[in-house]
Amino acid sequence: RGTSTLAVRGGLVTHTAVTNNPNSSAFARGVLGVYMDGGTLEHSIISDNPFYGDRAEAGALWQKGGTVRDCRIERNTVANQCVDVVAGVRISGGTFERCVVGYNKETKGGAITVTAGVKVDGSATVRNVLIVGNETVATAANSVGGLAVTANGADVCHVTVLNNLTSATIGGLRLT
């Protein structure tokens, strides 16, 4: 979808690096790193992808289905003023497990909702995940540095949320 570097719709993608893919298009929409709606992504790294467009829905990974496991998603940067910004990982479906999501940043502020680390906004399973050191400069009241769970059907367990920062009131965890 949009300007994804890698789209996974089925099959197995393993031992892959998606790194250093800058995008500065004012018209880019979607996800910069990996868009996934099926298949399996494992033992991979999504890192150092800067997005400076105006409509990033996920900076590193947008998972709508399939399985992501044993991956590192780190040091991705989003600077835009879209309505709903996620610098790290947006999970709308599927299974996300045994991953590290760290040091992703939203650097512009101004969006209505900002999540620097992981946002779960659909019926998904998230387990055994470390979310660490993510940061947003956003001052909106519903912005979060670490983990935001906004879906009733989400199953989130055995997740560690550590040292995430925001200029708003919620550094670590937001459940709505």
Side-chain angles (χ1 to χ4, degrees), residues 67-126:
T67 300
V68 176
R69 71 169 64 97
D70 303 315
C71 292
R72 290 189 354 237
I73 297 98
E74 55 194 23
R75 296 183 314 274
N76 298 282
T77 304
V78 171
N80 69 16
Q81 294 185 5
C82 181
V83 173
D84 186 4
V85 176
V86 178
V89 180
R90 179 186 298 266
I91 305 169
S92 303
T95 300
F96 186 82
E97 61 187 356
R98 300 189 313 255
C99 294
V100 176
V101 180
Y103 309 100
N104 298 288
K105 291 185 179 181
E106 182 282 323
T107 61
K108 194 169 187 179
I112 295 171
T113 302
V114 176
T115 305
V118 176
K119 181 173 187 177
V120 183
D121 63 0
S123 295
T125 299
V126 179

Side-chain angles (χ1 to χ4, degrees), residues 17-70:
V18 178
T19 63
N20 198 22
N21 296 287
N23 186 323
S24 60
S25 170
F27 303 103
R29 181 171 184 216
V31 56
L32 178 61
V34 177
Y35 173 81
M36 184 167 181
D37 62 9
T40 300
L41 175 68
E42 64 183 19
H43 304 290
S44 295
I45 299 170
I46 305 169
S47 70
D48 301 296
N49 296 294
F51 188 98
Y52 300 104
D54 286 332
R55 302 207 35 166
E57 293 171 85
L61 169 67
W62 188 355
Q63 181 183 2
K64 288 189 162 187
T67 300
V68 176
R69 71 169 64 97
D70 303 315

